[in-house]
Amino acid sequence: MEKHKIVKNYLCCAGIALLASCTSAEISGNYTIYPENQEKDIHPDTHLKITFASQPIVGSTGKIWVFESQTDSLVDLIDMSIPAGPTKSVKNPEATYTSIPYQYLPGKFTNANTKPGTPSGTALPTADTFQLTIIGSFTDAFHFYPIIVHENTAIISLHHNLLEYNKDYYVLIDSSVVSSAKGSFKGIYNKNVWRFSTSKNPPDLRSKKIIVDNKGNGDFSTLQGALDYIPNNYKDTVEIFIRNGLYEELIYFRNKSNIIIKGEDKEKTVIQYANNEVFNPHPWNVKTNEWPGTFPSRRAAFAIDNCTNIQLLNLTVKTLLQGQAEGLLINGSEIFVKGVHIVGSGDALQTNGSACFDDVRIDGGGDMILGRGPAFFKDCDFYSPGPFMWTRNTKANHGNVFLNCRFTGTNPNGSTLARAPVNKGFGYPYSECVFINCSLKNILPKGWGTVGEETKNMHYWEYNSTNIDDGKPVDLSQRADFSHQLRLDTDKELIENYSNPLFVLDGWSPYPNN
């Protein structure tokens, strides 16, 4: 029996009839919907919305169905009895780092052609105990929140990439899925109450510009929808321009090149999600984050993975959860981040591969900057209880270098700049953190945190550190003995080299004059 017939029979057996007509009361009700009934030219990546007179409450039972209208075939199904994701950490001490480098397979894998939770690399399958959706061709899938409430609106996130262009759909919702204080929502069981059609054609990439607008007035309603549309390793440079708004979506993309992601306003274009290592943990049998080639992390709100020549400009990215929770996670090369506000917890920024950060603000917890480098920071502001970073570079490349940046410790007892302790048997004897012409506030006199015993090849260097409050030189008399103060008379060449992104970033710089 065909899938849509099975669903229709289920609905009928439950006493729910797929009615062919509807009354005006059923349409108007005490709520409004988006897309509106019979609305046309809707983006396939749109979020569905129900707005009530008061703030709605998300239920833990019931289903949401989306059907293709012409054939009554089931397109998507969300079961609210399945929890969004785990809320308690479950550790597996037997998990190891993969001995086989992770392979990024070519092709586009989506919920339409692949079962969510299908393992990649050496991972075990992701269990379907929680909600799962494939994002950015990561078949192991992500846990996600089917409904997120903002003020009086319930925002429904369907599984990615299931709606198509030039199609007509209708939506049915059980009454237990969402409720309002006034009890005005009785569910939608009539196929003509919430019906809409998608745009006939996708945008033309030859224009080299895509507009994202969560109000539906651009080419896509979500950033992820725009990213998914651009082919892997596309040769031409494409700009994704994001209009002001709050975009509550988990962003993950891989195998992409030559993309500019630009917000309309730094503080008014906000991309956020409640994600961390607990909600989207590493596979039961594989550790992540430590070494190149290991299994990709799924815990960030915004992740750039195995990408080249990506620019992230003029917007805010943030995670809404605490713990190991990156606002931004980067694995790739030639990544340029400018005019961006990053909000995270521990590991607010993880950066692996050549990356440059200009006029960036980061608010986070301890070990706020994590990664293997090389990373060059210019004119940036950092706020952390400290340590500000845990740099894990090897001798193969530079670590973190800061030029004209400002560090404000938020720990009442004082903060440290960086640390590199031995971690479960792994040390970081080549850890590099270089500060040139930086301003500091509320930093402990010793300056630096815990490191391993091997320090002769570590570069914990400062040149011309000053106090933020008065601009006077920092008192360096009690700095840790493994650190070093550069001097213009003896270290001029080093200071000049480390002030140049070409030197730090393996011959790459996003600045035309370098």
Side-chain angles (χ1 to χ4, degrees):
M1 184 180 294
E2 296 179 10
K3 184 191 295 184
H4 71 277
K5 291 182 179 178
I6 295 174
V7 175
K8 288 174 71 176
N9 287 341
Y10 165 79
L11 292 171
C12 290
C13 290
I16 302 169
L18 290 175
L19 304 179
S21 61
C22 57
T23 67
S24 58
E26 288 173 313
I27 295 176
S28 60
N30 291 319
Y31 61 89
T32 60
I33 54 175
Y34 177 84
E36 295 181 2
N37 191 37
Q38 302 296 339
E39 190 169 355
K40 301 182 184 304
D41 202 28
I42 298 300
H43 303 141
D45 66 319
T46 193
H47 290 158
L48 308 182
K49 302 175 183 179
I50 308 177
T51 300
F52 298 88
S54 59
Q55 188 172 75
I57 301 170
V58 178
S60 58
T61 61
K63 295 181 174 63
I64 303 170
W65 296 269
V66 179
F67 294 91
E68 197 275 315
S69 300
Q70 186 174 1
T71 61
D72 285 330
S73 58
L74 180 66
V75 175
D76 196 11
L77 170 63
I78 293 175
D79 185 346
M80 295 299 295
S81 68
I82 301 174
T87 57
K88 294 182 179 180
S89 177
V90 179
K91 297 186 181 298
N92 179 13
E94 304 301 322
T96 60
Y97 295 109
T98 177
S99 59
I100 303 172
Y102 185 84
Q103 296 294 316
Y104 290 87
L105 299 178
K108 187 174 183 179
F109 307 100
T110 72
N111 294 288
N113 60 27
T114 307
K115 183 183 185 301
T118 299
S120 61
T122 59
L124 294 171
T126 306
D128 55 7
T129 309
F130 301 100
Q131 298 283 351
L132 284 179
T133 186
I134 294 174
I135 305 176
S137 288
F138 201 165
T139 62
D140 301 78
F142 293 79
H143 302 138
F144 75 106
Y145 305 93
I147 299 179
I148 295 174
V149 173
H150 280 296
E151 297 180 344
N152 294 353
T153 299
I155 303 170
I156 302 170
S157 296
L158 301 175
H159 294 92
H160 290 69
N161 303 114
L162 291 181
L163 302 190
E164 302 178 47
Y165 285 96
N166 198 27
K167 295 283 188 178
D168 190 82
Y169 298 99
Y170 64 87
V171 183
L172 304 178
I173 303 180
D174 275 331
S175 59
S176 58
V177 167
V178 65
S179 60
S180 69
K182 296 182 180 180
S184 59
F185 187 67
K186 306 300 182 183
I188 298 175
Y189 301 109
N190 188 313
K191 63 187 294 183
N192 289 321
V193 168
W194 197 353
R195 184 168 174 166
F196 62 90
S197 58
T198 54
S199 307
K200 290 185 178 181
N201 298 298
D204 190 346
L205 275 181
R206 290 177 296 181
S207 69
K208 300 182 182 180
K209 185 170 184 177
I210 293 173
I211 296 176
V212 174
D213 186 328
N214 62 2
K215 297 179 177 63
N217 297 320
D219 300 307
F220 291 90
S221 295
T222 66
L223 173 57
Q224 188 65 48
L227 290 165
D228 288 344
Y229 178 62
I230 299 173
N232 288 350
N233 299 314
Y234 195 60
K235 300 302 181 184
D236 290 335
T237 297
V238 177
E239 177 183 312
I240 301 175
F241 180 75
I242 310 172
R243 288 181 175 150
N244 289 343
L246 178 61
Y247 296 82
E248 188 117 8
E249 47 177 316
L250 198 163
I251 300 297
Y252 175 88
F253 57 103
R254 61 168 60 184
N255 302 337
K256 303 291 185 180
S257 302
N258 310 319
I259 298 176
I260 300 170
I261 303 170
K262 183 178 181 180
E264 183 177 359
D265 182 279
K266 177 180 179 179
E267 299 299 339
K268 295 180 181 178
T269 306
V270 179
I271 301 164
Q272 67 180 32
Y273 208 76
N275 195 25
N276 64 6
E277 177 68 27
V278 173
F279 189 70
N280 271 300
H282 61 75
W284 184 249
N285 64 317
V286 184
K287 292 181 180 179
T288 62
N289 287 340
E290 189 70 32
W291 304 113
T294 193
F295 188 85
S297 174
R298 291 177 285 186
R299 71 192 194 191
F302 192 118
I304 302 170
D305 191 14
N306 196 44
C307 294
T308 304
N309 190 22
I310 305 295
Q311 296 184 40
L312 189 62
L313 313 173
N314 205 43
L315 48 79
T316 294
V317 296
K318 64 169 68 175
T319 183
L320 303 177
L321 294 183
Q322 300 295 307
Q324 292 176 302
E326 286 89 352
L328 176 64
L329 190 154
I330 297 171
N331 288 315
S333 61
E334 300 183 10
I335 311 298
F336 183 49
V337 182
K338 180 178 174 63
V340 171
H341 185 186
I342 301 169
V343 180
S345 186
D347 318 334
L349 168 67
Q350 183 179 159
T351 176
N352 306 296
S354 54
C356 182
F357 302 84
D358 189 325
D359 186 28
V360 168
R361 170 173 174 155
I362 307 180
D363 293 273
D367 298 327
M368 186 175 70
I369 302 172
L370 185 73
R372 299 182 290 265
F376 186 85
F377 298 82
K378 175 177 174 289
D379 298 320
C380 296
D381 289 275
F382 307 97
Y383 298 83
S384 169
F388 279 84
M389 68 200 77
W390 185 346
T391 307
R392 300 178 175 185
N393 65 286
T394 67
K395 63 180 178 180
N397 58 260
H398 290 288
N400 294 336
V401 177
F402 303 88
L403 177 67
N404 304 330
C405 293
R406 294 156 294 279
F407 293 80
T408 300
T410 60
N411 188 327
N413 297 319
S415 305
T416 55
L417 296 172
R419 67 170 184 157
V422 174
N423 180 38
K424 299 177 182 178
F426 297 107
Y428 309 95
Y430 294 90
S431 178
E432 180 175 75
C433 300
V434 180
F435 292 72
I436 299 176
N437 297 330
C438 291
S439 300
L440 313 178
K441 182 175 182 177
N442 195 31
I443 303 300
L444 289 172
K446 66 178 181 179
W448 308 91
T450 306
V451 298
E453 294 183 2
E454 298 182 53
T455 61
K456 65 178 181 179
N457 293 311
M458 292 181 65
H459 293 167
Y460 278 22
W461 297 346
E462 289 175 88
Y463 170 69
N464 191 34
S465 294
T466 58
N467 293 306
I468 286 179
D469 290 338
D470 57 18
K472 295 180 180 179
V474 170
D475 180 358
L476 305 172
S477 61
Q478 299 183 54
R479 282 297 195 254
D481 57 7
F482 53 81
S483 66
H484 177 65
Q485 299 303 315
L486 301 176
R487 295 172 46 184
L488 190 59
D489 57 346
T490 58
D491 302 304
K492 182 178 179 181
E493 184 177 359
L494 274 178
I495 293 168
E496 290 178 349
N497 282 339
Y498 277 91
S499 299
N500 187 348
L502 277 170
F503 174 80
V504 176
L505 302 175
D506 300 328
W508 169 72
S509 171
Y511 303 106
N513 296 328
N514 281 110

